């Protein structure tokens, strides 16, 4: 439960004022409900007794009836305000939680990010945050409000009716539902965990099946994929039925407790009335107030069905939230980029040295390890042998390393949104800097014709050609102002003149940066100060 309380603390910290107001209204709703039913019972009983005694004409019906109307209307208004405030604050808090969770995932090591599958990650983030949306609305706020109202109602009944009645009502309503909750959440833990796992599996399998439906149909595996989805949904339904059974049993227990509390309050009141200590209207007040307090513990039944999901989701979410790290104050590394006798299964030991302001090109047939060397330089891959360094710093310090080293791989990564949104992924930059970066890669005129920085792009940058999308990614890399720029086939898909313009623009924008390029085009190689050819398991180097 520690992880769950960590999430609760995080949410409360971010939306404390709105949630405090909502909590106050929730207490008001419960208190008014108990007061309304108790006052109604007292009013009806007292009026009946006065009528039987022949003093009905003297009984003041106006004050109690006006109080009943006030409580009824005030309770409705308070309920509306409580729902608006708490739901709005919860939605805002969950939005912040999603952002924090995604930031935490992005702060993970490169090798951990490399293993993530987009569909699975997004499904997990969505499912886990959805599971946590009831932490406040169905667990914390109702529980805290219920304890406060039951305790207060016990004190009021002890004052207006009798201490024994107040003690019985408050003690039973506090103790018994707590025991029910503790027992119920233990029984519900396993089916809740199974239901959540099956639901996430069903979602992921459904997304994968829809995304790959054409390939699955071609290879005759569509029916198999459908059976896997159906199996996950069947397991989810089985777990849900088990969870519903636990909820029904615990709900029956709460109903029996309610009967016991009301019956006990009535029995204590009747005994005291028989002894002449209480009046009939006081007995009715105590019994009906005890009945009304059942609303304060009603959320226990709903929480039982979800506390298992909440706890499991919190355990998975909390570590990602704690990985959000501040950027260290240490100065980002600078100096010579050195790949010292690095090797992998694709090539023999290779040594590459790139000084600030220098451009080194890696050439050779496809599959010889050019991209692998770039990934090693980026810190994404660890060489089987050898060492990678930038000045005195190794890639192990990833947060610092990312401040200096930027890689543009062959596959560009753009998002649906404006051109400005895509460029801003490198960090906040003024429009002038963005326009200058676009001009450096010969893309400013193209973007201006499409509507400028506010031009909207579709999914994965739809609306731009392959070459335009690649240049937009290069412009984004320039905005990061790296000390080392790693480029994998940077001018692929561009005509010769544009390619020369782009390469010259990159160097002009980053005159002091070290460039390491995987290249096969003459336009890329022509800009290099040193060319290293990868041939089989050997490497040759020569100055251009």
């Amino acid at each position: 439960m520690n992880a769950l309380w960590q999430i609760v603390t995080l949410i409360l910290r971010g939306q404390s004022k709105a949630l405090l107001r909502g909590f106050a209204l929730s207490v008001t709703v419960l208190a008014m409900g108990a007061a309304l039913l108790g006052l109604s019972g007292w009013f009806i009983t007292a009026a009946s007794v006065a009528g039987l005694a022949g003093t009905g004409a003297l009984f003041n019906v106006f004050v109690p009836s006006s109080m009943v109307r006030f409580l009824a209307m005030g309770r409705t208004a308070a309920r509306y305000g409580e729902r608006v405030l708490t739901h709005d604050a919860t939605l805002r808090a969950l939005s912040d939680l999603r952002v924090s969770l995604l930031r935490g995932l992005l702060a993970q090591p490169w090798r951990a990010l490399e293993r993530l599958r987009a569909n699975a990650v997004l499904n997990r983030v969505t499912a886990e945050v959805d599971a946590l949306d009831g932490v406040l609305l169905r667990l914390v706020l109702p529980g805290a409000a219920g304890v406060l109202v039951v305790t207060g109602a016990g004190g009021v009944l002890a004052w207006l009716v009798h201490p024994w009645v107040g003690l019985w009502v408050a003690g039973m309503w506090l103790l018994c539902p707590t025991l029910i909750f503790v027992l119920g959440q233990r029984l519900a833990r396993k089916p809740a965990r199974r239901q959540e796992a099956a639901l996430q599996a069903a979602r992921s399998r459904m997304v994968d099946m829809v995304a790959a439906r054409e390939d699955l149909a071609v290879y005759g595996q569509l029916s198999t994929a459908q059976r896997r989805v159906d199996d996950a949904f069947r397991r989810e339904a089985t777990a849900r039925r088990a969870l519903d059974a636990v909820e029904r049993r615990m709900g029956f227990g709460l109903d029996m407790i309610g009967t016991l509390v009301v019956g006990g309050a009535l029995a204590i009141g009747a005994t005291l009335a028989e002894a002449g200590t209480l009046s009939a209207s006081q007995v009715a007040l105590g019994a009906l107030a005890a009945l009304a307090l059942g609303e304060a513990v009603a959320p226990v039944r709903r929480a039982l069905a979800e506390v298992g999901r909440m706890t499991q989701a919190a355990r998975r979410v909390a570590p990602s939230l704690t990985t959000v790290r501040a950027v260290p104050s240490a100065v980002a590394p600078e100096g010579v980029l050195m790949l010292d006798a690095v090797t992998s299964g694709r090539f023999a030991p290779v040594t590459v040295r790139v000084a600030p302001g220098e451009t080194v090109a890696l050439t050779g047939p496809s599959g010889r390890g050019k991209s692998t060397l770039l990934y090693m330089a980026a810190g994404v891959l660890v060489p089987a042998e050898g060492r990678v360094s930038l000045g005195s710093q190794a890639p192990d310090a990833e947060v610092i390393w990312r401040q200096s080293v930027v890689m543009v791989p062959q596959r560009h990564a753009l998002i649906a949104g404006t051109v400005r949104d895509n460029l801003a992924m490198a960090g906040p930059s003024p429009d002038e800097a963005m326009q200058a970066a676009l001009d450096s890669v010969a893309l400013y005129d193209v973007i201006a014709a499409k509507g400028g920085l506010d031009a909207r792009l579709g999914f994965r940058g739809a609306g731009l050609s392959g070459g335009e999308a690649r240049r937009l990614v290069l412009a984004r890399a320039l905005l990061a102002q790296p000390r080392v720029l790693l480029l994998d086939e940077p001018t692929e898909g561009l005509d010769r003149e544009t390619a020369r313009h782009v390469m010259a623009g990159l160097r002009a924008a980053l005159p002091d940066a070290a460039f390491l390029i995987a290249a096969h085009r003459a336009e890329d190689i022509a800009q290099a100060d040193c060319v290293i050819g990868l041939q089989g398991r050997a490497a040759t180097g020569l100055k251009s």
Side-chain angles (χ1 to χ4, degrees), residues 325-333 393 397 399-401 403 483:
R325 301 184 294 271
V327 177
S329 58
V331 177
Q393 186 69 61
V399 177
I400 301 176
W401 192 267
Q403 296 178 42
R483 291 192 169 99

Side-chain angles (χ1 to χ4, degrees), residues 77-293:
R79 173 67 76 185
Y80 178 78
E82 179 261 337
R83 291 294 173 87
V84 171
L85 285 173
T86 56
H87 282 71
D88 179 70
T90 300
L91 291 175
R92 291 178 184 274
L94 293 179
S95 177
D96 295 339
L97 185 64
R98 286 189 184 94
V99 173
S100 299
L101 179 56
L102 291 174
R103 284 177 176 169
L105 291 173
L106 290 176
Q108 292 183 3
W110 279 107
R111 283 169 288 282
L113 289 174
E114 192 179 27
R115 292 192 295 268
L116 297 179
R117 294 173 57 242
N119 291 342
V121 170
L122 292 178
N123 171 60
R124 182 165 64 87
V125 170
T126 301
E128 289 173 353
V129 175
D130 286 347
L132 293 171
D133 70 352
V135 169
L136 290 178
L137 297 179
R138 290 185 286 277
L139 185 63
V140 176
L141 291 180
V147 169
L148 185 60
V149 170
V150 168
T151 304
V156 172
L157 289 177
W159 172 49
L160 294 178
V161 182
H162 194 276
W164 284 113
V165 176
L167 182 63
W168 168 263
V169 172
M172 291 297 289
W173 273 133
L174 289 175
L175 178 62
C176 294
T178 301
L179 295 177
I180 287 288
F181 180 77
V182 172
L183 175 62
Q185 66 93 16
R186 289 187 178 183
L187 295 175
R189 187 181 303 164
K190 184 177 292 186
R193 184 167 60 245
R194 289 176 176 174
Q195 181 195 19
E196 182 65 17
L199 184 59
Q200 289 205 31
R203 287 174 173 173
S204 295
R205 292 176 184 180
M206 176 68 78
V207 171
D208 290 340
M209 183 184 72
V210 172
R213 60 190 182 279
E214 295 178 357
D215 291 340
L216 291 171
V218 168
Y219 292 101
Q221 297 299 312
L222 188 58
S223 58
T224 302
Q226 289 175 330
R227 285 195 296 272
R228 294 181 69 245
V229 174
D230 291 340
D231 177 66
F233 278 119
R234 278 195 297 271
R235 288 189 287 109
E236 191 274 337
T238 300
R240 187 175 64 250
R241 286 194 293 270
L243 196 60
D244 290 343
V246 173
E247 183 182 353
R248 286 194 299 270
R249 290 197 295 270
M250 296 303 105
F252 177 76
L254 287 175
D255 292 340
M256 292 298 100
I257 290 171
T259 302
L260 177 63
V261 174
V262 175
L266 189 60
I268 294 172
T271 302
L272 294 172
E274 187 177 359
T277 306
L278 295 180
S279 64
S281 57
Q282 287 177 302
V283 175
L285 172 61
L288 290 177
L291 178 62
L293 289 175

